[in-house]
Amino acid sequence: MGTGKRGLLTAAVTVACAVTVLAVPGTAFAAPTPTPGASATPGATPGATPSPAPPPNKDLEKVRARLDRLYHDAAVATDAYNAAEEKTEKQSARIEVLTQKITEGQEKLERLKDQAGASARAQYRTGGLPPTAQFLLSDDPQRVIDGAGTVLNGQRAANKLIGEMTRTQRDLRDYADDASAQWRKLEVNRKAKAAAKKRIKRQISEAERLEDRLEKKEKERLAQLEAQAAHKAQTEWLDTGVLDDVKGKASEQGRKAVEFATAQLGKPYVWGAEGPDSYDCSGLTSQAWADAGRPIPRTSQEQWKQLEHVDVEDMRPGDLIIYFPDASHVAMYAGDGQIIHAPRPGRTVTVAGAGTMPILGVVRPDA
């Protein structure tokens, strides 16, 4: 990574102190900067006018854990929604192709029927007699003999016409059956999208209600706890020496992907979004790599399934780090132990420590 990019990331990391992601199970999200001078222990606010004492840390830890679970469940539902959306788009495109093929097949069948009608009318004009009868009854047998080849060719043409009509009719049936199957799948995925959307909204609404019930001092203390947890997780991850052997340099496409992701810093997280004004986690990574000229799967789970896995020690900027056992979150490795990602609802695309969440593994889009 160049000096300019390292400086940009360093500055972003400084800002990221205010938005560091959580390190406990659940959908990752960034934490605001702890309020300077805030007390680490609960108690009444000093001053003449008493204010409600914030709850003990253990109660706020429960709140934090509950928020983690809610946002994690929302992330899982978002992945399901995105997967259903992707399938719906593919099925809609397939149905459009089949519809065009059916239309073309019907037009072709009409043309073949016209040809068959013309052949039947020609046969009618000759009386519909077989060649032998025409020879015996003709006043000019030589003419019949000369035309025998023409008759044979005509029979071959008729057989070919019948075969073509049969194949076209069979193709039309296959296209219709395929279209019906695609419509059924489309309906299934529409229902899956609707169910996932309902789950997402329910989880996010519950999380927002929980946060809204907190007093200002409680929110500030909760932010401190989040930042402390993220710092602790990142420190423990770095202390393992995991980065000692990480010396990989970004590929050309990887560099472009990181540049794209960096340019999105500060844009809001919106579930199901793929830019340009907002993103969810896999929307950011998939668009970054699409911009780099390497389309990848839309969801974090499919990115984990389909892209080549690499060891953490071998990762390089541009690689994707997949988080949590269910592969429900993804971030782009930016180098120096940092990631760029879209954390969760209510937060923006940010820089964070790569070890602030449980790492499932690393994948490489341009392997």
Side-chain angles (χ1 to χ4, degrees):
M1 178 173 296
T3 303
K5 183 57 61 62
R6 186 181 299 274
L8 175 60
L9 283 174
T10 300
V13 172
T14 301
V15 176
C17 291
V19 284
T20 307
V21 294
L22 291 180
V24 295
T27 301
F29 65 94
T33 304
T35 303
S39 174
T41 57
T45 303
T49 304
S51 59
N57 283 354
K58 63 179 181 179
D59 291 339
L60 282 177
E61 284 289 358
K62 290 180 181 178
V63 171
R64 188 168 70 87
R66 177 60 179 161
L67 287 172
D68 278 351
R69 287 194 296 272
L70 289 170
Y71 283 120
H72 174 265
D73 291 345
V76 173
T78 297
D79 227 33
Y81 177 90
N82 290 335
E85 173 71 12
E86 189 174 35
K87 290 179 181 178
T88 296
E89 291 176 356
K90 290 180 179 179
Q91 286 153 2
S92 296
R94 175 62 179 163
I95 289 171
E96 186 175 345
V97 170
L98 289 170
T99 300
Q100 181 63 31
K101 287 185 176 181
I102 289 172
T103 299
E104 293 172 354
Q106 289 173 334
E107 292 173 351
K108 180 179 180 180
L109 187 60
E110 288 301 316
R111 291 195 300 271
L112 293 172
K113 286 181 178 179
D114 289 342
Q115 293 178 28
S119 177
R121 288 190 294 272
Q123 186 178 16
Y124 175 77
R125 285 194 295 271
T126 64
L129 295 174
T132 301
Q134 292 181 35
F135 176 81
L136 294 174
L137 298 176
S138 175
D139 294 333
D140 188 356
Q142 184 60 45
R143 182 179 178 184
V144 174
I145 292 173
D146 293 340
T150 303
V151 171
L152 181 60
N153 289 336
Q155 289 177 335
R156 289 173 178 170
N159 290 336
K160 181 179 180 181
L161 180 62
I162 292 171
E164 188 70 14
M165 288 178 65
T166 301
R167 285 191 296 273
T168 301
Q169 289 173 326
R170 183 174 62 247
D171 288 344
L172 283 171
R173 286 194 299 270
D174 290 343
Y175 294 152
D177 290 344
D178 194 356
S180 295
Q182 294 298 327
W183 273 113
R184 288 192 295 271
K185 291 179 181 178
L186 188 64
E187 186 60 25
V188 168
N189 283 303
R190 281 174 175 166
K191 290 180 179 178
K193 278 177 57 181
K197 183 176 182 179
K198 187 175 181 180
R199 289 197 305 274
I200 294 166
K201 289 187 172 182
R202 183 174 63 248
Q203 301 297 338
I204 293 176
S205 294
E206 187 174 345
E208 289 174 343
R209 287 195 300 271
L210 179 58
E211 290 179 299
D212 288 342
R213 288 198 296 267
L214 297 175
E215 299 290 339
K216 180 179 179 181
K217 289 185 179 296
E218 294 172 344
K219 292 180 179 179
E220 291 173 350
R221 182 56 188 152
L222 181 62
Q224 287 181 324
L225 294 175
E226 292 172 355
Q228 290 168 6
H231 178 73
K232 180 175 181 291
Q234 176 72 354
T235 299
E236 291 177 349
W237 183 67
L238 293 175
D239 286 346
T240 64
V242 65
L243 292 184
D244 292 348
D245 297 324
V246 176
K247 299 180 177 64
K249 294 184 179 180
S251 65
E252 180 63 21
Q253 284 185 311
R255 182 185 60 78
K256 290 180 179 178
V258 172
E259 287 179 351
F260 179 93
T262 302
Q264 314 313 309
L265 290 172
K267 293 185 178 181
Y269 176 106
V270 174
W271 63 267
E274 301 177 77
D277 299 322
S278 57
Y279 297 89
D280 61 20
C281 68
S282 57
L284 176 64
T285 55
S286 60
Q287 287 303 305
W289 273 100
D291 184 77
R294 175 67 170 89
I296 62 174
R298 169 65 177 87
T299 68
S300 59
Q301 292 178 344
E302 288 304 311
Q303 289 170 7
W304 174 244
K305 289 179 183 177
Q306 297 186 35
L307 300 180
E308 181 171 330
H309 293 201
V310 297
D311 293 334
V312 173
E313 293 80 4
D314 296 328
M315 67 182 176
R316 65 192 187 193
D319 287 347
L320 305 181
I321 302 180
I322 310 296
Y323 292 96
F324 306 109
D326 54 7
S328 58
H329 190 72
V330 59
M332 179 171 293
Y333 184 60
D336 296 329
Q338 304 298 313
I339 56 172
I340 299 173
H341 72 147
R344 56 93 159 163
R347 303 295 167 87
T348 61
V349 176
T350 188
V351 176
T356 53
M357 296 168 285
I359 295 176
L360 177 62
V362 180
V363 295
R364 178 164 295 161
D366 61 340

